[in-house]
Amino acid sequence: MRISDRRRLISLYLAESWRRTGLAISLALPVVSGRAGFRAMRLVVAPTDLRAIDPFVAEEIFQGRYPLAGRVLDADQQSPFDLELPSQQFAVRLHGFGWLRHIRADKSHAACENARWVVDQWIHLHGGRVTGVAWDADVVAQRIVAWLSHSPVVLQDADAGFYRRFMASLSYQIGYLHRIAGYLPEGLPRLRARIALAMASISTEARASAIRRAGRQLNRELERQILPDGSHVSRNPQAAVELLFDLLPLRQTYINLGHDVPQRLIPAIDRMYPAVRFFRHSSGDLALFNGASSTLATDLMSVLRYDETAGQPFKALPHAAYQRLSGGDTVLLLDTGHAPSGSLSRTAHAGCLSLELSSGRNRFIVNSGSPRFAGEKLRQLARTTAAHSTVAIGDMSSARISSSGFLGPLLVAGVAKVEISRQTGPDGSDRLSASHDGYLARFGVLHEREVRINEGGTKIAGRDRFLLPEGLPAPGIPSEPAIARFHIHPAISLERIDERRVRLIAPDGESWVFSLPVGEVEIAEDIFFADVSGVRPSQQLEIAFHGPEIRWFLAHHA
C-alpha cells in the first residue's frame, strides 16, 4: 500500500472514531420531546408525496400481506412487527412506512382503520425502544416524512387517544433525529435527516426559531452535497431523483404556508434537474453508475413533470466527472471520475472509464448496476470493476474495497488521477479520450479509453490501451490477463456472425453490430443486478488483450 493510502486510512479511522464517539455520547443522553423546538401537539399540514401509488399493494396490505423489497410477508391478521421479517431490506421498507402512500388508492374507513392499527402496533412495540433497524437514522427520517405526508390516511376517523399517541411518538422521533443528525455519516442519510427535520418544522407546531434553525441546517447540507453541476456528491445518478421526491414537496410546503424558503433549496432543485437529464438514456432510463439501480418509469416521470429548467442535456458534468456523447438517437455515457472521499465511497463503484450505450428506445450496453433488494454479498460484487463495461486486469478492480469492519466497505487504494481530452471533428464527430491510474501501482500501466461517435450516431469506434506512466504506449501486456467487458442489457439478444462480429438485437428489431478488426469476441454468461424484478441472468461480450491495445467498433442497423 502506498504511503499516501496509509495516511488516508489513518485519517479515516480518526474521523470515524470521532464521529462514533459523538454519536455514542448523544445517544446516552435522554431524548426530550420538543427539545428541537417542536411541540408537535398538532399537525399543520400534510406534505404531498409524489411517488406513484399501487391499488394492488393497498389491497394486499388490507388483507394482511406486505409486498415490500421484492418479498411478501403474510402476517395472517397478526402485527407484522411480531413476526420474523424476510430480509434487512424488507425491514427497512416496513419500518420506514413509505408503503402508507398506497393506502391513498383506497381511502375507505376499513383501509384507513387498518393502516392506523399497523401504526399503533409499531408505537406499542417499537416506539419506546430505541434499538434495531427501526431506529436507524435513515429509517427514522423516512418514517417521519411518511407519517407527516400520510397523516390524513392514518388519522381519518381516529379517536383522541390514538391522536395523542401518534403525536407523542412523532415528537419523540423528531427529537431523536435532531439529536443524532450532526453525527451521521456524510452523504444521503445526513441530508435525508435534515430534509425530514425541515419538513417536520413546518408541518407541525414549531417555534419560529426552530423553523429557521432547521432551514439553516438544511442549507448547509445542500451546500455540501449538491455539487455545482447539480449532481450528488456520491456520484450516484439515482440520488438526485430520490432527493427530488422529498425536496419538491418541501419547497411547495414552505411556499404554501408563507415561510421563508431556505436559501439553498430552490437553486439546488434547479441544478439537479439538468443532472437528471444528463444521466437519462435515449430509452428514458437512468444510467447505472456508482450504486444506481433501476428506477421505475412512473417514479421518474413523477419527478420530471416538475422540471422547469428545460433545455438539452449537458455534454459533461465537470464536478461529478461524467461525459455524454450523442448523435441522432444514440447516447454514450462514460464515468471519468474517481471515488468520492471518506465515508462517501461506501457505495461507490470501481467503474472508472465504464460506458453505457442506448439507442432509440433501447439500452444495449450497460453496467451491471446495484441490486435493489439483494444481500450484502451481491451488493459488493456489483461494485467490482468486472461488473462494469470497462477493462479489468486479472481479478482485481481499479480500486480496492476495504474489508475493515470499523470503516465499512470504503473504496481505497484506487484511481487517483484521470486525464480527459475531448474534441469535435470537422465532420461533426465527437471524440473522447480518457485515462486513469487505478492499475499503476500494481501493474505499472495506465488504462486509456478512446471513444468516437459520428454526427448521426450510427457509428462508434473505440480503443482501449495501456500506457506507461509517462504516457507512452506500453511495450506489452500486463503480468495478469486483461479483459475488456461489455455488459449487455438482458432485453437484448445476441447473434454471432463470426468470431469477430456479434449482432445485438433489441425486442423492437433495432440492432447494432459489435466488431473487432483483429482478435475474437467471446460471449459469456452474466448477471444484471439492477432489474426492477430483481437479479436477472444476462450476457456480456469479452475481449482479451493479446497486445497493449484493442480496437472495437459498433455500427447501427435499422
Side-chain angles (χ1 to χ4, degrees):
M1 185 183 294
R2 292 175 295 190
I3 294 177
S4 59
D5 291 329
R6 285 199 190 95
R7 288 174 177 167
R8 179 168 171 261
L9 279 176
I10 292 171
S11 174
L12 291 172
Y13 269 102
L14 292 174
E16 181 64 10
S17 298
W18 179 259
R19 185 190 72 80
R20 292 192 183 198
T21 300
L23 180 61
I25 293 172
S26 181
L27 290 174
L29 299 172
V31 176
V32 180
S33 297
R35 180 71 176 270
F38 304 89
R39 289 191 295 275
M41 298 301 293
R42 186 174 68 88
L43 289 171
V44 176
V45 68
T48 304
D49 189 338
L50 302 179
R51 294 171 177 84
I53 62 175
D54 189 336
F56 170 78
V57 175
E59 177 60 26
E60 286 289 281
I61 291 173
F62 182 69
Q63 298 298 330
R65 293 184 293 270
Y66 297 81
L68 305 171
R71 309 290 287 274
V72 177
L73 174 69
D74 190 344
D76 192 25
Q77 306 310 313
Q78 299 180 71
S79 167
F81 304 109
D82 277 331
L83 305 176
E84 182 179 352
L85 302 183
S87 69
Q88 176 78 3
Q89 286 296 316
F90 186 99
V92 168
R93 294 295 181 92
L94 180 66
H95 287 282
F97 280 88
W99 51 267
L100 280 173
R101 71 181 184 275
H102 300 296
I103 312 302
R104 297 193 341 247
D106 177 16
K107 293 183 180 178
S108 65
H109 174 79
C112 293
E113 185 178 40
N114 181 67
R116 184 162 55 253
W117 177 78
V118 178
V119 171
D120 213 14
Q121 287 294 304
W122 186 92
I123 293 172
H124 175 69
L125 294 169
H126 294 281
R129 293 185 302 143
V130 184
T131 59
V133 66
W135 288 90
D136 285 352
D138 209 25
V139 177
V140 176
Q142 293 175 44
R143 187 167 55 246
I144 289 171
V145 172
W147 282 19
L148 290 171
S149 299
H150 305 296
S151 54
V153 167
V154 176
L155 297 175
Q156 180 176 304
D157 300 323
D159 59 36
F162 175 80
Y163 187 87
R164 285 194 296 271
R165 291 193 299 277
F166 180 81
M167 295 306 300
S169 178
L170 185 60
S171 182
Y172 186 87
Q173 293 175 59
I174 293 167
Y176 171 81
L177 190 61
H178 173 75
R179 168 160 290 175
I180 67 173
Y183 299 105
L184 297 180
E186 294 179 280
L188 285 172
R190 190 187 294 178
L191 179 51
R192 279 195 284 251
R194 292 304 182 193
I195 291 171
L197 291 170
M199 191 171 286
S201 75
I202 57 175
S203 299
T204 67
E205 285 186 330
R207 294 194 297 268
S209 59
I211 296 174
R212 290 193 298 270
R213 181 171 61 248
R216 288 195 302 270
Q217 291 167 337
L218 176 62
N219 275 333
R220 284 197 292 270
E221 214 53 51
L222 288 171
E223 184 72 15
R224 290 189 187 109
Q225 296 198 34
I226 306 303
L227 299 176
D229 59 18
S231 56
H232 185 256
V233 68
S234 68
R235 305 186 67 241
N236 182 338
Q238 199 172 24
V241 176
E242 293 298 321
L243 289 170
L244 284 168
F245 271 121
D246 290 330
L247 292 176
L248 289 168
L250 180 61
R251 175 188 67 178
Q252 197 58 43
T253 305
Y254 270 107
I255 293 171
N256 290 346
L257 295 177
H259 293 299
D260 291 334
V261 181
Q263 187 178 4
R264 304 295 184 187
L265 178 55
I266 293 177
I269 291 173
D270 289 343
R271 294 200 309 274
M272 290 164 75
Y273 268 115
V276 172
R277 289 201 307 273
F278 175 93
F279 286 117
R280 199 175 182 211
H281 276 292
S282 62
S283 61
D285 300 287
L286 286 184
L288 301 173
F289 296 108
N290 283 296
S293 189
S294 54
T295 302
L296 295 175
T298 51
D299 282 350
L300 190 56
M301 292 310 299
S302 295
V303 165
L304 289 174
R305 65 184 291 193
Y306 296 96
D307 182 7
E308 300 173 353
T309 57
Q312 292 298 311
F314 298 141
K315 289 188 175 182
L317 294 181
H319 297 86
Y322 286 98
Q323 299 284 326
R324 180 185 176 103
L325 290 77
S326 62
D329 292 329
T330 302
V331 172
L332 271 171
L333 293 167
L334 289 96
D335 180 350
T336 53
H338 50 74
S341 61
S343 61
L344 289 169
S345 72
R346 283 194 178 102
T347 58
H349 288 206
C352 189
L353 300 194
S354 62
L355 62 80
E356 294 199 350
L357 165 69
S358 63
S359 175
R361 292 176 292 180
N362 305 293
R363 284 186 290 173
F364 284 87
I365 297 174
V366 294
N367 294 310
S368 296
S370 185
R372 286 165 60 87
F373 311 124
E376 190 63 16
K377 184 176 180 180
L378 287 182
R379 194 171 297 278
Q380 297 308 320
L381 184 62
R383 299 176 68 196
T384 62
T385 299
H388 296 77
S389 292
T390 186
V391 172
I393 301 178
D395 59 356
M396 299 183 182
S397 292
S398 58
R400 183 168 62 85
I401 299 175
S402 168
S403 57
S404 168
F406 184 75
L407 290 176
L410 306 182
L411 279 192
V412 296
V415 176
K417 186 177 182 181
V418 181
E419 298 281 356
I420 303 170
S421 172
R422 187 166 180 175
Q423 299 94 25
T424 300
D427 57 353
S429 62
D430 201 354
R431 173 188 171 275
L432 172 72
S433 177
S435 64
H436 76 73
D437 62 354
Y439 290 114
L440 182 60
R442 285 169 288 178
F443 298 103
V445 294
L446 307 173
H447 168 217
E448 181 189 69
R449 167 162 279 182
E450 180 182 306
V451 181
R452 186 173 67 254
I453 181 172
N454 69 342
E455 187 175 19
T458 57
K459 295 180 180 180
I460 298 169
R463 178 177 70 173
D464 288 288
R465 64 172 177 166
F466 298 116
L467 304 175
L468 297 175
E470 57 270 24
L472 298 174
I477 59 176
S479 56
E480 296 283 340
I483 297 176
R485 292 180 173 88
F486 297 86
H487 297 271
I488 307 303
H489 191 275
I492 305 300
S493 58
L494 299 181
E495 176 187 282
R496 181 174 287 283
I497 301 172
D498 54 40
E499 66 178 13
R500 296 180 183 173
R501 295 183 296 168
V502 175
R503 190 184 308 276
L504 287 62
I505 307 170
D508 61 4
E510 182 184 7
S511 69
W512 285 77
V513 172
F514 186 99
S515 63
L516 303 176
V518 294
E520 182 176 353
V521 182
E522 294 287 345
I523 300 177
E525 294 182 352
D526 196 12
I527 299 175
F528 184 63
F529 292 111
D531 196 77
V532 174
S533 60
V535 176
R536 284 183 61 183
S538 57
Q539 294 176 293
Q540 61 181 311
L541 303 180
E542 295 183 347
I543 302 98
F545 281 75
H546 297 292
E549 76 170 39
I550 59 170
R551 292 179 181 269
W552 46 270
F553 300 91
L554 281 154
H556 182 261
H557 290 255

